[in-house]
């Protein structure tokens, strides 16, 4: 009996030793695992310019993608960005600036991303990364109803003054195709609306700009029409610094999810009626 008791006591003691060992080894393993997992999630843990905030640089002169409605920037880009921020658990802050300041705001790290109906171009890819494209744009030509310009080809006859928003792809195409070739003159405006105003007052002969703002401007100004022939088709995407890939990957992932579940399309449909 006493032998039995001794054995039991020994067994008990042994079990306790094992249990303790298991316990402590378990806890060290846990810590190691925790360290491991926080280490491996590093690629999905990102930093933003301001903690807890997603700062979007834009140029709110571009309806229906971004424009002012009662002191607040609204539109397709603003709504998609808000949905992305929500997915990432961040507060969205929109910084309105000149269109040609957006890339610098992003590369300097002042803004986390640039979203401005921005076309993916080779030149911009030299300085920024782009997300997956989320919309298509078409460069179109706005003229006065009675204009001698009735097609894009007419522009290549030469002798016209073309208005564009400075540093946009409309500016680039007009500059390369029509100004550098000595055919036409390009006038650059800070805002698309200013180019349209110059057209309305007869100071320039046409405006090359993206189709959706073109529609909004043509609707808001009497006597303007959009030519049936388009200048070129392009893709809009969000731009990021090349130095913060953890953030750009997280934003891109959120954007792709929002495209897959139909959120992006429903936001676009809210602003653009299919025609
Ligand atoms: N899609 C054109 C570009 O990337 C024009 C964009 C202008 N956007 C704006 N928010 N003003 O150059």
């Amino acid at each position: 009996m006493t032998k039995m008791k001794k054995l039991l006591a020994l067994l008990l003691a042994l079990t306790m030793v094992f249990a303790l060992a298991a316990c402590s080894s378990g806890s060290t393993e846990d810590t190691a695992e925790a360290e491991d997992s926080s280490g491996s999630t590093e690629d999905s843990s990102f930093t933003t310019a301001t903690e807890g905030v997603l700062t979007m640089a834009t140029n709110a002169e571009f309806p229906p993608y971004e424009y002012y409605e009662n002191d607040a920037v609204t539109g397709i880009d603003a709504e998609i960005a808000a949905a992305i921020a929500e997915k990432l658990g961040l507060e969205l802050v929109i910084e309105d600036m000149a269109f040609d300041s957006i890339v610098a705001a992003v590369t300097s790290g002042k803004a986390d991303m640039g979203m401005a109906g921005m076309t993916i171009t080779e030149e911009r890819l030299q300085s920024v990364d782009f997300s997956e494209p989320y919309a298509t744009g078409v460069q179109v030509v706005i003229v006065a109803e009675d204009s001698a310009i009735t097609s894009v080809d007419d522009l290549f006859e030469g002798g016209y003054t073309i208005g564009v928003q400075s540093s946009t792809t409309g500016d680039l195409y007009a500059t390369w195709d029509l100004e550098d070739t000595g055919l036409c003159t390009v006038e650059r405006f800070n805002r698309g609306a200013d180019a349209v105003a110059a057209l309305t007052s007869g100071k320039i002969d046409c405006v090359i700009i993206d189709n959706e703002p073109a529609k909004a401007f043509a609707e808001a100004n009497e006597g303007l029409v959009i030519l049936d022939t388009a200048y070129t088709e392009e893709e809009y995407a969000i731009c990021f610094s090349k130095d913060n890939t953890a953030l750009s990957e997280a934003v891109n992932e959120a954007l792709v999810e929002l495209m897959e579940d139909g959120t992006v399309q429903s936001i676009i449909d809210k602003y653009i009626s299919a025609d």
Side-chain angles (χ1 to χ4, degrees):
M1 253 331 229
T2 39
K3 261 191 185 172
M4 189 69 159
K5 263 190 182 170
K6 265 189 185 165
L7 204 72
L8 265 174
L10 194 73
L11 260 175
L12 207 80
L14 271 174
T15 338
M16 280 178 76
V17 169
F18 278 122
L20 271 173
C23 216
S24 69
S25 92
S27 70
T28 41
E29 252 165 43
D30 281 353
T31 337
E33 252 163 45
E35 267 161 19
D36 257 355
S37 70
S38 76
S40 66
T41 50
E42 218 153 78
D43 16 45
S44 66
S45 76
F46 49 78
T47 54
T48 56
T50 306
E51 212 191 317
V53 172
L54 183 66
T55 307
M56 159 182 159
T58 196
N59 169 247
E61 305 283 352
F62 200 70
Y65 285 89
E66 44 267 332
Y67 58 100
Y68 279 93
E69 205 174 83
N70 314 317
D71 289 345
V73 176
T74 182
I76 295 169
D77 288 343
E79 285 204 30
I80 295 174
I84 290 171
E86 198 190 326
K87 254 188 192 295
L88 300 180
L90 299 169
E91 180 206 336
L92 178 70
V93 169
I94 299 179
E95 302 255 3
D96 184 21
M97 58 189 72
F99 183 73
D100 53 13
S101 301
I102 297 173
V103 165
V106 166
T107 54
S108 69
K110 277 189 202 119
D112 298 308
M113 62 181 204
M115 196 169 185
M118 189 180 279
T119 305
I120 305 173
T121 69
E122 286 303 316
E123 295 69 30
R124 290 172 186 160
L125 279 166
Q126 308 285 315
S127 36
V128 288
D129 284 342
F130 277 100
S131 68
E132 293 293 316
Y134 61 88
T136 47
V138 183
Q139 294 297 315
V140 297
V141 184
I142 315 177
V143 295
E145 259 164 6
D146 56 359
S147 175
I149 306 166
T150 58
S151 75
V152 167
D153 285 347
D154 288 346
L155 291 175
F156 288 84
E157 304 281 310
Y160 295 111
T161 304
I162 301 164
V164 294
Q165 184 181 18
S166 185
S167 295
T168 59
T169 46
D171 182 2
L172 296 182
Y173 303 139
T175 304
W176 292 334
D177 299 347
L178 297 155
E179 190 177 60
D180 292 353
T181 51
L183 291 171
C184 293
T185 310
V186 176
E187 270 201 40
R188 295 167 186 86
F189 298 85
N190 280 333
R191 309 177 333 133
D194 294 340
V196 172
L199 176 63
T200 311
S201 61
K203 290 193 190 105
I204 58 175
D205 299 302
C206 70
V207 172
I208 300 182
I209 196 162
D210 304 52
N211 57 331
E212 289 306 329
K215 278 194 232 162
F217 292 139
E219 260 162 41
N221 294 273
E222 235 176 88
L224 299 184
V225 290
I226 298 170
L227 296 184
D228 290 333
T229 51
Y231 203 90
T232 181
E233 194 163 311
E234 23 188 58
E235 286 182 316
Y236 295 165
I238 306 172
C239 73
F240 307 96
S241 158
K242 289 179 185 286
D243 298 331
N244 195 351
T245 48
L247 176 67
S248 58
E249 276 163 19
V251 170
N252 190 56
E253 209 171 287
L255 172 67
V256 168
E257 279 170 24
L258 291 165
M259 289 197 283
E260 281 170 0
D261 73 7
T263 306
V264 167
Q265 193 56 50
S266 72
I267 292 171
I268 292 175
D269 291 346
K270 231 175 97 177
Y271 290 89
I272 301 175
S273 52
D275 47 12

